[in-house]
Amino acid sequence: EKVQAMEYLSLFARLIRQNLRASTESKVALDVEISMLENYLELERMRFGNSFNYKIDLDKNIDPQELVIPPLIIQPYVENAIIHGMRQKKGDGLIEIKFTTAKDLLIISIEDNGEGIPQSSAKRIGKSLGMSITQKRLSYLSSQSGNTHSLKTTSDENGTNITISIKPLIR
């Protein structure tokens, strides 16, 4: 499986470079964030034996090169969807990430068709390190810039949806 290993390593190296670059910035263009998500999702899909697919939808009214957002705010929620939502899936898993706008907000929806978050696990999952750090970063950025954000989670036996609303900046 030399070809697959080389492809995996190439994607991994690209993702590491993108993450290192983004981690030094206070904001990145939405197209950069989407590229990092695509690389991350493809790596995880390969790692989990193609047991899930993913889809990224960008509203036609959004120019991803013009909108800028804080980097690395979406990936922890996507990671959670993969680890917790896709763990029982055998080839029919799906993660959808949608970018839309409402008024002056960018709405980011991360939806999976996993088993949902059992009530017994909801408190433990809510304390995920990546998600906790991201929530603190968003709160800090809001206090510094006056930029509002919100985070909403819904979950049932048909899957989980995380919706992040944030006011993007325009280049």
Side-chain angles (χ1 to χ4, degrees):
E1 299 177 16
K2 183 178 178 181
V3 172
Q4 186 177 9
M6 293 300 291
E7 182 181 349
Y8 190 88
L9 285 173
S10 176
L11 278 171
F12 183 71
R14 184 179 316 138
L15 181 63
I16 293 295
R17 285 190 304 274
Q18 287 175 317
N19 281 330
L20 286 172
R21 236 180 271 124
S23 69
T24 64
E25 303 292 331
S26 62
K27 50 191 169 282
V28 296
L30 184 57
D31 64 336
V32 171
E33 187 77 8
I34 290 171
S35 176
M36 288 189 299
L37 287 170
E38 288 171 335
N39 285 333
Y40 175 71
L41 281 159
E42 189 57 32
L43 280 169
E44 290 291 50
R45 194 171 80 81
M46 291 170 71
R47 184 169 77 105
F48 284 97
N50 298 323
S51 64
F52 71 90
N53 286 309
Y54 62 89
K55 186 174 165 184
I56 298 177
D57 289 322
L58 183 65
D59 185 277
K60 62 180 169 61
N61 297 321
I62 296 174
D63 182 347
Q65 295 177 340
E66 289 297 315
L67 288 185
V68 292
I69 62 172
L72 306 166
I73 60 168
I74 305 166
Q75 188 270 335
Y77 300 101
V78 173
E79 178 180 357
N80 208 49
I82 293 167
I83 292 171
H84 299 289
M86 298 295 105
R87 72 173 168 227
Q88 301 297 329
K89 292 296 189 174
K90 302 291 184 230
D92 61 346
L94 180 63
I95 296 174
E96 291 185 85
I97 304 170
K98 297 176 186 171
F99 296 89
T100 58
T101 56
K103 298 185 183 177
D104 61 346
L105 295 176
L106 176 65
I107 312 298
I108 305 155
S109 171
I110 302 138
E111 188 170 339
D112 69 64
N113 67 344
E115 62 189 26
I117 303 171
Q119 288 301 320
S120 62
S121 301
K123 288 182 182 172
R124 181 176 45 81
I125 290 171
K127 294 184 182 192
S128 145
L129 181 60
M131 290 171 42
S132 173
I133 290 169
T134 301
Q135 288 174 346
K136 287 177 184 174
R137 280 183 59 222
L138 285 170
S139 293
Y140 174 76
L141 292 169
S142 291
S143 71
Q144 295 297 304
S145 67
N147 188 348
T148 59
H149 75 280
S150 69
L151 183 66
K152 180 181 172 191
T153 303
T154 57
S155 187
D156 62 24
E157 67 279 356
N158 298 312
T160 300
N161 180 285
I162 305 284
T163 303
I164 304 166
S165 301
I166 188 167
K167 186 173 181 179
L169 299 171
I170 298 174
R171 279 187 185 193

